Coordinates of all heavy atoms in Angstrom, one line a residue:
P382 N -79.8 -0.9 -84.6 CA -78.6 -1.5 -84.0 C -78.8 -3.0 -83.6 O -77.8 -3.8 -83.7 CB -78.3 -0.7 -82.8 CG -78.9 0.7 -83.1 CD -80.2 0.3 -83.9
M383 N -80.0 -3.3 -83.1 CA -80.2 -4.7 -82.7 C -80.2 -5.7 -83.9 O -79.5 -6.7 -83.8 CB -81.6 -4.8 -82.0 CG -81.9 -6.2 -81.5 SD -83.5 -6.3 -80.7 CE -84.6 -6.0 -82.1
L384 N -80.8 -5.3 -85.0 CA -80.8 -6.1 -86.2 C -79.4 -6.2 -86.8 O -78.9 -7.2 -87.3 CB -81.7 -5.5 -87.2 CG -83.2 -5.6 -86.8 CD1 -84.1 -4.9 -87.9 CD2 -83.7 -7.0 -86.6
T385 N -78.6 -5.1 -86.7 CA -77.2 -5.1 -87.1 C -76.4 -6.1 -86.3 O -75.5 -6.8 -86.8 CB -76.6 -3.7 -87.1 OG1 -77.4 -2.8 -87.8 CG2 -75.2 -3.7 -87.6
G386 N -76.6 -6.1 -85.0 CA -75.9 -7.0 -84.1 C -76.2 -8.4 -84.5 O -75.3 -9.3 -84.4
I387 N -77.5 -8.7 -84.7 CA -77.8 -10.1 -85.1 C -77.2 -10.5 -86.4 O -76.7 -11.6 -86.5 CB -79.4 -10.2 -85.2 CG1 -80.0 -10.0 -83.8 CG2 -79.8 -11.5 -85.7 CD1 -81.5 -9.9 -83.8
W388 N -77.1 -9.6 -87.3 CA -76.5 -9.9 -88.6 C -75.0 -10.1 -88.4 O -74.4 -11.0 -89.0 CB -76.7 -8.7 -89.6 CG -76.0 -8.8 -90.9 CD1 -76.1 -9.9 -91.8 CD2 -75.1 -7.9 -91.5 NE1 -75.3 -9.6 -92.9 CE2 -74.7 -8.4 -92.7 CE3 -74.6 -6.7 -91.1 CZ2 -73.8 -7.8 -93.5 CZ3 -73.7 -6.0 -91.9 CH2 -73.3 -6.5 -93.1
I389 N -74.3 -9.3 -87.6 CA -72.9 -9.4 -87.4 C -72.6 -10.7 -86.7 O -71.5 -11.3 -86.9 CB -72.3 -8.2 -86.6 CG1 -72.4 -7.0 -87.5 CG2 -70.9 -8.4 -86.2 CD1 -71.9 -5.7 -86.8
S390 N -73.5 -11.2 -85.9 CA -73.2 -12.5 -85.1 C -73.1 -13.7 -86.1 O -72.6 -14.7 -85.7 CB -74.4 -12.7 -84.1 OG -75.6 -13.0 -84.8
G391 N -73.5 -13.5 -87.3 CA -73.4 -14.6 -88.3 C -72.2 -14.4 -89.3 O -72.2 -15.0 -90.3
L392 N -71.3 -13.4 -88.9 CA -70.1 -13.2 -89.8 C -68.8 -13.5 -89.1 O -68.8 -13.5 -87.8 CB -70.1 -11.7 -90.2 CG -71.3 -11.1 -90.9 CD1 -71.2 -9.6 -91.2 CD2 -71.5 -11.9 -92.3
Q393 N -67.8 -13.8 -89.9 CA -66.5 -13.9 -89.3 C -65.8 -12.5 -89.3 O -64.8 -12.3 -90.0 CB -65.6 -14.9 -90.2 CG -66.2 -16.3 -90.2 CD -65.3 -17.2 -91.1 OE1 -64.2 -16.9 -91.5 NE2 -65.8 -18.4 -91.4
L394 N -66.4 -11.7 -88.5 CA -65.9 -10.3 -88.4 C -64.8 -10.2 -87.3 O -65.1 -10.0 -86.2 CB -67.1 -9.3 -88.2 CG -66.7 -7.8 -88.2 CD1 -66.1 -7.5 -89.5 CD2 -68.0 -7.0 -87.9
N395 N -63.6 -10.3 -87.7 CA -62.4 -10.2 -86.8 C -61.5 -9.1 -87.3 O -61.8 -8.3 -88.1 CB -61.7 -11.5 -86.7 CG -61.4 -12.1 -88.0 OD1 -61.1 -11.4 -89.0 ND2 -61.5 -13.5 -88.1
Q396 N -60.3 -9.1 -86.7 CA -59.3 -8.0 -87.1 C -58.9 -7.9 -88.5 O -58.5 -6.9 -89.0 CB -58.1 -8.1 -86.2 CG -57.2 -9.3 -86.4 CD -57.6 -10.5 -85.6 OE1 -58.8 -10.6 -85.1 NE2 -56.7 -11.4 -85.3
F397 N -59.1 -9.0 -89.2 CA -58.7 -9.1 -90.6 C -59.8 -8.4 -91.6 O -59.5 -8.1 -92.7 CB -58.5 -10.5 -91.1 CG -57.5 -11.2 -90.3 CD1 -57.8 -12.2 -89.4 CD2 -56.1 -10.9 -90.4 CE1 -56.9 -12.9 -88.7 CE2 -55.2 -11.6 -89.7 CZ -55.5 -12.6 -88.8
F398 N -61.0 -8.2 -91.0 CA -62.0 -7.6 -91.9 C -62.6 -6.3 -91.3 O -63.7 -5.9 -91.6 CB -63.2 -8.6 -92.0 CG -62.8 -9.8 -92.8 CD1 -62.4 -11.0 -92.1 CD2 -62.8 -9.8 -94.2 CE1 -62.1 -12.1 -92.8 CE2 -62.4 -11.0 -94.9 CZ -62.1 -12.1 -94.2
I399 N -61.8 -5.7 -90.3 CA -62.3 -4.4 -89.7 C -62.5 -3.3 -90.7 O -63.5 -2.6 -90.8 CB -61.4 -4.0 -88.6 CG1 -61.4 -5.0 -87.4 CG2 -61.8 -2.6 -88.1 CD1 -62.8 -5.1 -86.8
R400 N -61.5 -3.1 -91.6 CA -61.5 -2.0 -92.6 C -62.5 -2.3 -93.7 O -63.0 -1.3 -94.3 CB -60.1 -1.8 -93.2 CG -59.1 -1.3 -92.2 CD -57.8 -1.1 -92.9 NE -56.8 -0.5 -91.9 CZ -56.7 0.8 -91.7 NH1 -57.4 1.6 -92.3 NH2 -55.8 1.2 -90.8
R401 N -62.9 -3.6 -94.0 CA -63.8 -3.9 -95.0 C -64.8 -4.9 -94.5 O -64.9 -6.0 -95.0 CB -63.1 -4.4 -96.3 CG -62.0 -5.4 -96.0 CD -61.2 -5.7 -97.2 NE -60.1 -6.7 -96.9 CZ -60.3 -8.0 -96.9 NH1 -61.4 -8.5 -97.3 NH2 -59.3 -8.8 -96.6
W402 N -65.5 -4.5 -93.5 CA -66.4 -5.4 -92.7 C -67.6 -5.9 -93.5 O -68.1 -7.0 -93.2 CB -66.9 -4.8 -91.4 CG -67.6 -3.5 -91.6 CD1 -67.1 -2.3 -91.9 CD2 -69.1 -3.4 -91.5 NE1 -68.1 -1.4 -92.0 CE2 -69.3 -2.0 -91.7 CE3 -70.1 -4.2 -91.2 CZ2 -70.6 -1.5 -91.7 CZ3 -71.4 -3.7 -91.2 CH2 -71.6 -2.4 -91.4
L403 N -67.9 -5.2 -94.6 CA -69.0 -5.7 -95.5 C -68.6 -6.9 -96.3 O -69.4 -7.7 -96.8 CB -69.4 -4.6 -96.4 CG -70.2 -3.4 -95.8 CD1 -70.5 -2.3 -96.8 CD2 -71.5 -3.9 -95.1
D404 N -67.2 -7.1 -96.4 CA -66.7 -8.3 -97.1 C -66.5 -9.5 -96.2 O -65.9 -10.5 -96.7 CB -65.4 -7.9 -97.8 CG -65.6 -6.9 -98.9 OD1 -66.7 -6.8 -99.4 OD2 -64.7 -6.1 -99.1
A405 N -66.8 -9.4 -94.9 CA -66.6 -10.5 -94.0 C -67.4 -11.7 -94.4 O -68.6 -11.6 -94.7 CB -66.9 -10.1 -92.6
P406 N -66.8 -12.9 -94.5 CA -67.5 -14.1 -94.9 C -68.5 -14.5 -93.8 O -68.4 -14.2 -92.6 CB -66.4 -15.1 -95.1 CG -65.3 -14.7 -94.2 CD -65.3 -13.2 -94.2
S407 N -69.5 -15.3 -94.3 CA -70.5 -15.8 -93.3 C -69.9 -16.9 -92.4 O -69.1 -17.7 -92.9 CB -71.7 -16.3 -94.1 OG -72.6 -16.9 -93.2
A408 N -70.3 -16.9 -91.2 CA -69.9 -17.9 -90.2 C -71.0 -18.8 -89.9 O -70.8 -19.8 -89.1 CB -69.3 -17.2 -89.0
G409 N -72.2 -18.6 -90.4 CA -73.3 -19.4 -90.0 C -73.6 -19.3 -88.5 O -73.7 -18.2 -88.0
L410 N -73.7 -20.5 -87.9 CA -73.9 -20.5 -86.4 C -72.6 -20.8 -85.6 O -72.7 -21.2 -84.4 CB -74.9 -21.6 -86.1 CG -76.3 -21.3 -86.7 CD1 -77.3 -22.5 -86.3 CD2 -76.9 -20.0 -86.2
D411 N -71.4 -20.7 -86.3 CA -70.2 -21.1 -85.7 C -69.9 -20.2 -84.5 O -69.3 -20.6 -83.5 CB -69.0 -21.0 -86.7 CG -69.1 -22.1 -87.7 OD1 -69.8 -23.1 -87.4 OD2 -68.4 -22.0 -88.7
N412 N -70.2 -18.9 -84.6 CA -70.0 -18.0 -83.4 C -70.8 -18.4 -82.2 O -70.3 -18.3 -81.1 CB -70.3 -16.5 -83.8 CG -69.3 -16.0 -84.9 OD1 -68.2 -16.3 -84.9 ND2 -69.8 -15.1 -85.7
Y413 N -72.0 -18.9 -82.4 CA -72.8 -19.3 -81.3 C -72.3 -20.6 -80.8 O -72.3 -20.9 -79.6 CB -74.3 -19.5 -81.8 CG -75.0 -18.2 -82.1 CD1 -75.0 -17.8 -83.4 CD2 -75.6 -17.5 -81.2 CE1 -75.6 -16.6 -83.8 CE2 -76.2 -16.3 -81.5 CZ -76.2 -15.8 -82.8 OH -76.8 -14.7 -83.1
R414 N -71.8 -21.5 -81.6 CA -71.2 -22.8 -81.2 C -69.9 -22.5 -80.3 O -69.7 -23.1 -79.3 CB -70.8 -23.6 -82.3 CG -72.0 -24.2 -83.1 CD -71.5 -25.2 -84.1 NE -72.7 -25.7 -85.0 CZ -72.9 -25.2 -86.2 NH1 -72.1 -24.3 -86.7 NH2 -73.9 -25.6 -86.9
V415 N -69.1 -21.5 -80.7 CA -68.0 -21.1 -79.9 C -68.4 -20.6 -78.6 O -67.8 -20.9 -77.5 CB -67.1 -20.1 -80.7 CG1 -66.0 -19.6 -79.8 CG2 -66.5 -20.7 -81.9
A416 N -69.4 -19.7 -78.6 CA -69.8 -19.1 -77.3 C -70.4 -20.1 -76.4 O -70.3 -20.0 -75.1 CB -70.8 -18.0 -77.6
L417 N -71.1 -21.1 -76.9 CA -71.8 -22.1 -76.1 C -71.1 -23.3 -75.8 O -71.6 -24.2 -75.2 CB -73.2 -22.4 -76.7 CG -74.2 -21.2 -76.8 CD1 -75.5 -21.6 -77.5 CD2 -74.5 -20.7 -75.4
N418 N -69.8 -23.4 -76.3 CA -69.0 -24.6 -76.1 C -68.3 -24.4 -74.7 O -67.2 -23.8 -74.6 CB -67.9 -24.7 -77.2 CG -67.1 -26.0 -76.9 OD1 -67.4 -26.8 -76.1 ND2 -65.9 -26.0 -77.6
F419 N -68.9 -24.9 -73.6 CA -68.4 -24.6 -72.3 C -67.1 -25.4 -72.0 O -66.6 -25.2 -70.9 CB -69.5 -24.9 -71.3 CG -70.7 -24.1 -71.5 CD1 -72.0 -24.7 -71.5 CD2 -70.7 -22.7 -71.7 CE1 -73.1 -23.9 -71.7 CE2 -71.8 -22.0 -71.9 CZ -73.0 -22.6 -71.9
D420 N -66.8 -26.3 -72.9 CA -65.5 -27.0 -72.7 C -64.3 -26.2 -73.3 O -63.2 -26.4 -72.9 CB -65.5 -28.4 -73.4 CG -66.5 -29.3 -72.7 OD1 -66.7 -29.2 -71.5 OD2 -67.1 -30.2 -73.4
G421 N -64.6 -25.2 -74.1 CA -63.6 -24.3 -74.7 C -63.4 -23.1 -73.8 O -64.1 -22.8 -72.8
A422 N -62.3 -22.4 -74.1 CA -61.9 -21.2 -73.3 C -63.0 -20.1 -73.4 O -63.3 -19.5 -72.3 CB -60.5 -20.7 -73.7
V423 N -63.5 -19.9 -74.6 CA -64.5 -18.8 -74.7 C -65.8 -19.1 -74.0 O -66.3 -18.3 -73.3 CB -64.7 -18.5 -76.2 CG1 -65.8 -17.5 -76.4 CG2 -63.4 -18.1 -76.9

Side-chain angles (χ1 to χ4, degrees):
M383 183 180 67
L384 295 178
T385 304
I387 295 175
W388 174 56
I389 292 178
S390 68
L392 299 177
Q393 296 179 13
L394 185 57
N395 49 36
Q396 66 270 25
F397 302 109
F398 295 96
I399 293 297
R400 293 182 178 273
R401 42 188 181 87
W402 59 283
L403 289 176
D404 297 332
S407 173
L410 297 177
D411 289 345
N412 291 328
Y413 293 94
R414 294 191 184 97
V415 171
L417 294 175
N418 181 16
F419 300 133
D420 294 329
V423 176

